[in-house]
Amino acid sequence: MNFEKSLSKRECQVLELLASGSSNVQIADQLGITQSTAKTHLRNIYAKTDNHNRTNLAIDYLTAKI
């Protein structure tokens, strides 16, 4: 899957942080957004990628980068 084509710029930033092991709190802090907004971005990412598991999403993203 080409994540950059299906996700917004902000969603890509959130996904990159998720894949590096950041928690929702850390993602929110690093991007200067609320935890609620971070969760909303993650819900949108899950819906767009049809992947509802944080670990599998990170694996898919990192695998696609190779």
Side-chain angles (χ1 to χ4, degrees), residues 7-60:
L7 303 178
S8 72
K9 181 179 175 181
R10 183 59 103 184
E11 290 167 344
C12 286
Q13 292 171 331
V14 169
L15 181 54
E16 182 71 36
L17 291 170
L18 177 142
S20 72
S22 296
S23 68
N24 290 356
V25 172
Q26 292 168 322
I27 291 169
D29 287 345
Q30 291 181 28
L31 296 178
I33 58 178
T34 66
Q35 291 179 45
S36 176
T37 301
K39 288 179 184 179
T40 298
H41 285 307
L42 287 169
R43 276 194 304 271
N44 292 339
I45 293 167
Y46 292 142
K48 289 179 179 181
T49 62
D50 197 32
N51 193 331
H52 301 283
N53 178 291
R54 187 180 191 98
T55 303
N56 287 340
L57 177 61
I59 290 168
D60 289 349

